[in-house]
Amino acid sequence: MKQRLIELIIDKAFKYSKEPVFKLVSGRMSNYYFNCKTITLHPEGMHLVGSIIYDMIHDSGPAGIGGFDTRR
């Protein structure tokens, strides 16, 4: 799963230019730009991100995720 997510990020969210052409919110220019919103809104990306995070936290017994109380 992680490898596929990396592939999606490289393909859909990462941009590179030899010259710093990407203006950041700070106003600085950069050679690199990541827009991971395109991944979290992509159906496969959303599934991969959710599954990976779930695998990371499911044994810790969270009481709530994203405002949803799992104790109900």
Side-chain angles (χ1 to χ4, degrees):
M1 269 194 276
K2 287 182 182 180
Q3 184 58 43
R4 178 62 184 143
L5 182 58
I6 290 168
E7 291 168 4
L8 275 177
I9 290 170
I10 291 169
D11 184 48
K12 298 187 178 300
F14 175 71
K15 296 184 189 235
Y16 171 77
S17 173
K18 288 184 180 184
E19 298 296 321
V21 296
F22 304 106
K23 188 170 186 176
L24 306 176
V25 173
S26 67
R28 295 178 59 196
M29 300 299 284
S30 176
N31 300 66
Y32 306 95
Y33 182 73
F34 283 93
N35 181 4
C36 286
K37 186 175 182 179
T38 60
I39 300 305
T40 58
L41 296 177
H42 183 276
E44 183 182 11
M46 185 183 305
H47 171 75
L48 292 170
V49 169
S51 295
I52 290 167
I53 291 173
Y54 175 79
D55 288 345
M56 291 170 65
I57 68 168
H58 78 278
D59 288 335
S60 66
I65 298 174
F68 180 77
D69 186 350
T70 61
R71 297 173 288 189
R72 291 185 197 192

